[in-house]
Structure formats: structure tokens, C-alpha cells
Amino acid sequence: SETANKLAEGIEHALDQARAIARGLVPVEIDAQGLMSALDQLVSNTENRCGITCRLICSEVAPIGDTATATQVFRIVQEAINNAAKHAEASQVDVHFQCEAGRATLSIRDDGPGFDVDNIPPGHLGVGIMRERAAAVGAELEIESESGSGTKVSVVWTNDE
């Protein structure tokens, strides 16, 4: 009976994880006005799912004029957070928004060990996908990382609003 209960608990836990993963994979469009609330939910879910500290630091709403840009920016942030949790084994991830001089920037910084940006192993497609997503909406993707100092991924776009 005890073994069956532990097995049932394990199965329920696995189902919860599968549901969380599936929610992250569904290509839902993010409304331009809903980006910040979607990011807030992503940060909260990351803390619960991965057990790491994840914060959204923002004093104003990200100026995004269309759903396509909001969706791509969200997916870039999602990929960067997932990479920090999975590959970098970070204990903290901060998502920071700032807007100045007609440019908006969303940066994702982790406290992991960092990596060589110019030497990404074959089969690791995340950085390439993030670059393609940024290019698709006319944004820039910047990655800064050094061994021992974590990684910072930034998506930068022109603020027309």
C-alpha cells in the first residue's frame, strides 16, 4: 500500500511537470499589451518549477506596438530563462526592462558559470533560434558571457511609442 501511494504521488508529480512543459511549448501569441503580465507569469512559473530565484525588474510597461513582436520577445526571454535553469544551473535569474533614447531593452541575466559564446556545441539550437526570433521582428540579440561570471542575454528594439 505504501509503495502504491509513493508510485501514485510520483505519477502525479510527473503529470504536473509534463503539463508545465506543454504550456511552455504551446505557440500562444502574446498580446502587445499583455507582454509584462506574461513575463510576470513566466518568472513565477520558473521559480515554482525550477526552484531558482527569478525576478522581473521593471518600472514601466515595455513599449511594443504589435503582437508579433511581443510574442517573439516573450519567446526569447523564455528560452534564455530555460537555458539559465537547465544548462547554466543558475540559482538566480533577473529579467530587467529599460527604455531610453528611443530603444527598449529586455535583459535576462543569470548567475551561472557562463560559457564561450563563440564556441556553442553542435546540437544546441537555442541561441540560433533566439537570434532568428529577434531578426524576424527587427530586433537585435546581444549575448555577453564569460567563464565564472554568468550570462546576459538582451533583446533590443526601437521604441516608436
Side-chain angles (χ1 to χ4, degrees):
S1 161
E2 186 177 325
T3 302
N5 284 338
K6 286 183 180 180
L7 183 60
E9 288 174 10
I11 290 170
E12 187 63 35
H13 180 70
L15 284 171
D16 288 343
Q17 287 182 322
R19 287 183 192 109
I21 290 168
R23 280 192 296 272
L25 294 176
V26 175
V28 175
E29 287 189 345
I30 305 297
D31 180 86
Q33 284 70 42
L35 176 63
M36 299 318 273
S37 61
L39 290 173
D40 191 47
Q41 185 68 45
L42 175 63
V43 163
S44 176
N45 289 344
T46 299
E47 282 197 330
N48 294 333
R49 181 175 44 93
C50 301
I52 63 175
T53 302
C54 195
R55 303 180 302 173
L56 177 61
I57 303 164
C58 174
S59 60
E60 58 187 297
V61 176
I64 294 184
D66 63 272
T67 300
T69 301
T71 300
Q72 297 297 1
V73 167
F74 175 82
R75 293 298 177 201
I76 290 167
V77 174
Q78 182 180 44
E79 179 68 19
I81 290 174
N82 287 338
N83 286 346
K86 181 178 178 182
H87 300 298
E89 298 177 1
S91 62
Q92 181 168 333
V93 178
D94 290 335
V95 179
H96 184 262
F97 170 75
Q98 68 181 31
C99 185
E100 55 187 40
R103 291 171 55 94
T105 304
L106 258 168
S107 298
I108 308 90
R109 181 183 297 274
D110 70 59
D111 65 352
F115 70 102
D116 182 356
V117 177
D118 297 322
N119 192 20
I120 298 171
H124 290 262
L125 305 175
V127 171
I129 291 170
M130 288 189 291
R131 288 190 194 287
E132 288 176 12
R133 287 184 180 281
V137 292
E140 300 170 31
L141 187 80
E142 302 168 357
I143 301 175
E144 302 169 34
S145 186
E146 289 184 27
S147 182
S149 66
T151 301
K152 179 181 175 185
V153 175
S154 299
V155 58
V156 182
W157 65 96
T158 302
N159 175 13
D160 294 330
E161 304 211 354

